[in-house]
Amino acid sequence: MKTLLNRFIVILIFILLTASGLYSQTTPYTILISFDGFRWDYTNRGLTPNFDYIEKHGVKALSLKPSFPSITFPNHISIVTGMYPQNHGVIANTMYDPVTDKLYSLRDTAEVRNAYWYKGEMIWETARRQGVITASYFWPGSEMNLEYRRPTYYEKYEHERDYVERINGVINWLKLPYNQQPKFITLYYDLTDSEGHRYGPNSPEVNAAIARLDSLIGFLFKKLDEIKLRDSVNLIIVSDHGMTEISKDRYVNIEEIANCNSCKFFNRGAVMNIFINDKNEVDAVFNKLKRQENHYKVYKPENVPAHFHFNNNHLIGDLFVLSEPGWSVGTTKDKDRMNDYNGGNHGFDNSYIDMHGIFYAIGPSFKENYKTGTIENINIYPLLCKILNIIPKQNIDGKLENISFILKEKE
Ligand code: AMP
Ligand code: ZN
Ligand code: ZN
């Protein structure tokens, strides 16, 4: 009996080793880069030779449509979960939870790491459960305070971290012994978003940012060549949203119109979430805002248009305000802030073309010189699962069939 059991264990170990060996040999490495706020048409400015190279030898989508609202954290998390923000839970960069009276803000590191807010399963959790090693050189949601929900290796977000150092960090992970190497790595740069907010999408500063990020792709290629992994790496470059010009002259003071003592206002610019302490006041405030609706729309969550997929989450608030592209909504205090921060913004209707980002991909899994139309960012998670050869989480919003046509067909 004992020898039979021993033999069974030996066979099992053999199968597992063979399977993992096969996995390692046949699955390429995948690096997912996000250039925050890199608008879909920034590569049409003649500043991006490395993007041009990828377009010729890989896949380019006309644009990457963000999920609504077109904001950083909601969209980075849609990309790695395949879910709309209302379903993965991160519906804004700043969120108030009336149930716990807690506030989430991307400047509050403790809350950014608090797993409570993240209801979706991120690609690294799916991968880890299936024995695949992953790594992240920055990505919203990669620093959660639960180990099993994090990438195997990760870096804590540091806005000023040197740009080349980030790539060297990725290369060092790829230089690890074979059985410790990550198969999937993320990398993040804020530059186009930061410059776009400050100077606007059509500024020389944004052009300089575009050129700098493009040259970093060239540097990454060079480093991958040096470690002889260039041909084994899929590189996917995306952005979370685009950018459009705003002006301090196009401002609506929602606080003033609402004129409501029991209202709390969260977020500003393209969207606002209003929580009203006294529920008897909701209709009155709604009616006031509705009557003066000009360059913005006000909704009760259940009436937000269906194509936004943004009705069903208690963090949306009692009322939700969305401004017309190029306009800003906010409080009296927010208006003052517009004096020094009024170049560009995002967060608007995700169908508005200025809100669209980029999708480029090159490597052994992808077709060459293949151009597709607009792709929705919820489809990236199932694509990554396919490339990594892992089973995706069920009941997500993205679908592999909406994106799998960019993959090389298997013989
Ligand atoms: P926003 O333009 O407000 O939608 O957000 C962009 C900002 O998000 C960037 O300038 C970064 O400072 C910040 N950010 C991006 N990734 C992270 C992260 N992983 N942790 C904390 N903050 C981040
Ligand atoms: Zn962003
Ligand atoms: Zn931004």
Side-chain angles (χ1 to χ4, degrees), residues 322-336:
L322 169 63
S323 59
E324 186 182 315
W327 282 73
S328 303
V329 287
T331 60
T332 307
K333 225 160 90 199
D334 297 333
K335 189 171 179 0
D336 299 336

Side-chain angles (χ1 to χ4, degrees), residues 36 71-73 93 106 139-140 157 159 188 190 193-194 197 346:
D36 200 315
I71 295 175
T72 300
F73 267 58
N93 284 355
L106 51 93
W139 199 274
Y157 188 69
H159 197 72
Y188 167 88
D190 70 287
D193 181 73
S194 301
H197 281 299
H346 53 86

Side-chain angles (χ1 to χ4, degrees), residues 36 70-74 76 93 105-107 109 112 138-143 155-159 188-191 193-194 197 240-241 243 341 345-346:
D36 200 315
S70 48
I71 295 175
T72 300
F73 267 58
H76 277 92
N93 284 355
S105 139
L106 51 93
R107 272 161 209 88
T109 309
V112 162
F138 304 156
W139 199 274
S142 63
E143 298 175 37
E155 286 284 323
K156 293 179 177 156
Y157 188 69
E158 207 183 281
H159 197 72
Y188 167 88
Y189 292 95
D190 70 287
L191 193 63
D193 181 73
S194 301
H197 281 299
D240 49 351
H241 51 74
M243 187 68 68
Y341 216 54
N345 204 7
H346 53 86

